[in-house]
Amino acid sequence: MTGDLLHAIANGYTDTPELRFSWLEKLCKHHFVHKNWDEAGQCHVVLAALIADWLQAADQPQANRQPRGYPAGLAAFDGIHPSIRAELGHMLPWSSLEVTAGSGPFSDSGLTLALHTAGEYFKKAEFYELSIAVFNLLVNVYQQSRTYDRLSRLYNELHLICQTLAETQNARLWPQYYRVGFYGAKFEQLNGVEFVYKEPKGTMLPDFVERLKGQLRRLYPDASVEVIPNTTEDIDLIVLAPTTVYLQVVSLVPYFPPSESASRETVFQQHWNLATFLYETPFTNKPGAAQTEDVSSQFKRKTIVTVEQPFPSVRKRIRISSKEVTIISPIENAIEAIAARCQALQTELNSVPPSTKTLQIVLQGSVLAQVNAGPLKICEAFLGRRDTYAAQFVDKLTAGIQRFLFLCKKAIALNKQLVSDVQREYQRNLENAFSDLTDKMDRYIKPQPTSNPDGSIPRDSSGSRGDNPGHDADVSGRTPTTVTRTHSSTV
């Protein structure tokens, strides 16, 4: 909340760049104190963009001057700060503004300091890709100024970052995201407003909720604090107690539509420039029962929220601008569950180098699963009564199960190549369990080869190949049962 205030004050000085710079620096220090390294880095990127834009404008009248390697406008920062144009795009022309030139922040040294500081903070945040992007801007500055001693040190720094990135490519933890809604008359303009909060990696939901409750108790000492259960979708603001402040917190995951998921190949691309998030709420048709062991009665409410500006940002929380709710039927829910399991298996098969530890965790949950919502239970519930359901969903589920068995077979074969002699017994257990699972599932699916003569994965009923798990995870070939769109009001 303090960060929001500092950011709002800084944006109030669009006509006074030096005051704006000063307040953005205060925001940087706020993030530094709280070890919000990513946000601190993004603040310095905004400062660097502000300085670079002014330096370029100041150079314009001097047409014969040697180019100084400044980043060329806000576009140079698009790949680092996804909303840089929103942050600085409404600036007045520099010709109409007064800036003290040649010393202080609006100088060559101010630019290099802001860029270098941003790169260092991104390293602390383990956003190594952003460090590389920032330092590449510095490379051009040092080349043009012929500052070869600094250029040499910078190349050495880039070498170390790339080494670290190569070693930790698939082992990094990423930020957590939570949807937080504030309800109650005491919130005044914020009553009913929802935000997405970005929290440091490893932040657990209960810890985050307790921290929010503590903040609200300090802000509203004369009010009680109550958490509304996640299963409550429609909150009636009128019936809420006037002396109580309410909040609702839900864990989120980044969401990408099928058209976008194909372009987000790396783990970093899946955690940068995030504007849409997803959370799911299970429910049944029985009053008071959110979940059931009977998969044929388990519905799911899928909610996609969109924020005003994408993460990462200079702020840790961003207001939700729209929300879309889709009701998923039990068989559609089963299709998505199988697709998610296929995606987990495919991820392990694509890992370079493969990880025995994570591979075996996924295999245990796939082949040795003895839970009610396991693939076999799904087969029994839906394919065992296929005439009860629409043919398009039955075909989609059948194709998903076939692909699941194919990927399990491939993953077990990979595990066999990786395990030592000590785990041979474990490998035999996996193979026996898979053989048993295949026999049982064959009762419900038509026997089809699990691979084409050339060894490729067969196409499913939608015509897509089995090696595209991200597509199947989001698209179930369904028509949404119910779609509701709401928009947060502007405060």
Side-chain angles (χ1 to χ4, degrees):
M1 297 179 186
T2 303
D4 286 356
L5 178 61
L6 293 171
H7 181 256
I9 295 173
N11 282 347
Y13 289 107
T14 53
D15 58 343
T16 316
E18 286 171 310
L19 279 175
R20 187 178 195 183
F21 192 99
S22 174
W23 280 100
L24 282 171
E25 276 191 317
K26 292 179 190 296
L27 180 57
C28 292
K29 289 173 184 174
H30 168 76
H31 287 311
F32 176 85
V33 167
H34 292 88
K35 298 184 179 180
N36 302 325
W37 305 122
D38 189 12
E39 286 74 20
Q42 294 295 347
C43 281
H44 280 280
V45 167
V46 174
L47 294 178
L50 194 62
I51 299 168
D53 201 41
W54 182 84
L55 290 174
Q56 277 236 317
D59 255 2
Q60 291 302 318
Q62 306 175 37
N64 298 324
R65 176 179 249 172
Q66 183 72 19
R68 299 165 73 175
Y70 301 137
L74 298 183
F77 298 91
D78 280 342
I80 304 168
H81 192 307
S83 51
I84 190 67
R85 295 170 192 265
E87 287 289 342
L88 298 179
H90 52 284
M91 286 284 294
L92 297 173
W94 286 107
S95 56
S96 65
L97 303 176
E98 291 185 8
V99 178
T100 306
S103 62
F106 289 89
S107 61
D108 290 2
S109 60
L111 174 64
T112 56
L113 177 61
L115 287 173
H116 197 274
T117 306
E120 290 298 320
Y121 285 155
F122 289 141
K123 273 200 307 179
K124 287 179 177 291
E126 294 187 352
F127 268 95
Y128 301 116
E129 293 86 349
L130 295 183
S131 286
I132 293 170
V134 168
F135 287 152
N136 277 334
L137 295 177
L138 267 178
V139 163
N140 200 35
V141 173
Y142 290 156
Q143 281 180 330
Q144 294 295 340
S145 63
R146 299 183 178 85
T147 319
Y148 296 117
D149 55 337
R150 291 185 178 182
L151 186 59
S152 172
R153 290 195 295 272
L154 187 58
Y155 275 129
N156 185 55
E157 182 70 20
L158 281 166
H159 169 72
L160 294 175
I161 292 172
C162 290
Q163 263 191 334
T164 305
L165 184 54
E167 293 166 2
T168 62
Q169 182 73 16
N170 297 316
R172 284 179 287 176
L173 297 175
W174 297 93
Q176 305 288 127
Y177 294 92
Y178 297 101
R179 166 192 160 270
V180 179
F182 297 98
Y183 310 98
K186 283 188 172 292
F187 284 119
E188 298 179 351
Q189 293 94 336
L190 285 181
N191 184 14
V193 176
E194 299 171 344
F195 294 87
V196 170
Y197 277 68
K198 174 174 171 287
E199 291 299 305
K201 53 194 173 188
T203 302
M204 303 300 289
L205 178 60
D207 298 334
F208 177 61
V209 171
E210 284 305 314
R211 196 178 81 226
L212 280 180
K213 287 167 68 177
Q215 290 175 353
L216 293 178
R217 288 188 186 105
R218 289 190 293 273
L219 284 171
Y220 304 98
D222 58 336
S224 58
V225 179
E226 187 174 320
V227 178
I228 299 174
N230 298 343
T231 50
T232 306
E233 277 295 311
D234 300 316
I235 299 169
D236 189 346
L237 300 180
I238 298 175
V239 303
L240 299 180
T243 57
T244 302
V245 292
Y246 300 86
L247 72 155
Q248 187 183 58
V249 186
V250 182
S251 182
L252 302 173
V253 293
Y255 170 80
F256 313 109
S259 57
E260 188 181 335
S261 60
S263 62
R264 292 182 179 261
E265 298 176 353
T266 68
V267 182
F268 167 73
Q269 289 171 330
Q270 294 161 14
H271 289 85
W272 182 82
N273 193 17
L274 305 178
T276 54
F277 299 86
L278 167 72
Y279 67 93
E280 297 175 339
T281 312
F283 72 96
T284 68
N285 285 334
K286 296 178 181 177
Q291 290 183 293
T292 174
E293 293 182 352
D294 179 9
V295 292
S296 65
S297 302
Q298 185 66 70
F299 290 82
K300 182 170 65 178
R301 186 180 292 107
K302 180 183 285 188
T303 306
I304 298 169
V305 297
T306 303
V307 290
E308 293 176 339
Q309 289 184 7
F311 291 97
S313 169
V314 297
R315 294 176 287 163
K316 281 176 58 66
R317 72 170 190 175
I318 300 177
R319 188 192 300 265
I320 291 173
S321 57
S322 67
K323 182 193 294 187
E324 180 180 314
V325 181
T326 305
I327 303 300
I328 307 296
S329 68
I331 190 168
E332 296 171 285
N333 191 18
I335 290 168
E336 292 193 352
I338 293 296
R341 181 54 52 180
C342 289
Q343 183 174 5
L345 287 162
Q346 189 73 64
T347 300
E348 293 305 319
L349 290 169
N350 291 345
S351 293
V352 180
S355 164
T356 312
K357 182 179 179 181
T358 55
L359 174 63
Q360 290 181 358
I361 289 172
V362 173
L363 276 172
Q364 280 183 235
S366 302
V367 178
L368 303 179
Q370 297 298 322
V371 293
N372 289 321
L376 184 56
K377 283 292 181 183
I378 286 174
C379 273
E380 293 171 352
F382 300 105
L383 301 186
R385 295 183 293 150
R386 61 176 63 231
D387 294 340
T388 313
Y389 302 97
Q392 67 187 54
F393 294 143
V394 171
D395 290 345
K396 186 74 175 177
L397 182 57
T398 303
I401 293 290
Q402 288 173 333
R403 178 171 173 245
F404 167 76
L405 291 173
F406 174 83
L407 292 174
C408 282
K409 185 177 180 180
K410 295 274 287 183
I412 290 171
L414 175 61
N415 190 68
K416 187 174 184 177
Q417 297 172 17
L418 300 175
V419 295
S420 60
D421 290 338
V422 222
Q423 288 192 308
R424 293 300 174 195
E425 183 62 29
Y426 174 78
Q427 176 66 21
R428 278 192 292 273
N429 289 339
L430 280 178
E431 292 171 356
N432 292 337
F434 176 68
S435 176
D436 183 53
L437 182 66
T438 305
D439 290 342
K440 290 177 179 176
M441 284 187 167
D442 277 346
R443 303 176 201 166
Y444 304 102
I445 59 177
K446 294 176 183 178
Q448 292 184 20
T450 54
S451 63
N452 296 321
D454 62 357
S456 62
I457 303 175
R459 295 182 180 274
D460 62 26
S461 60
S462 67
S464 63
R465 285 176 54 87
D467 53 5
N468 185 7
H471 176 80
D472 285 312
D474 285 320
V475 181
S476 58
R478 56 180 169 74
T479 302
T481 309
T482 304
V483 177
T484 306
R485 295 178 185 271
T486 60
H487 297 271
S488 298
S489 58
T490 305
V491 177

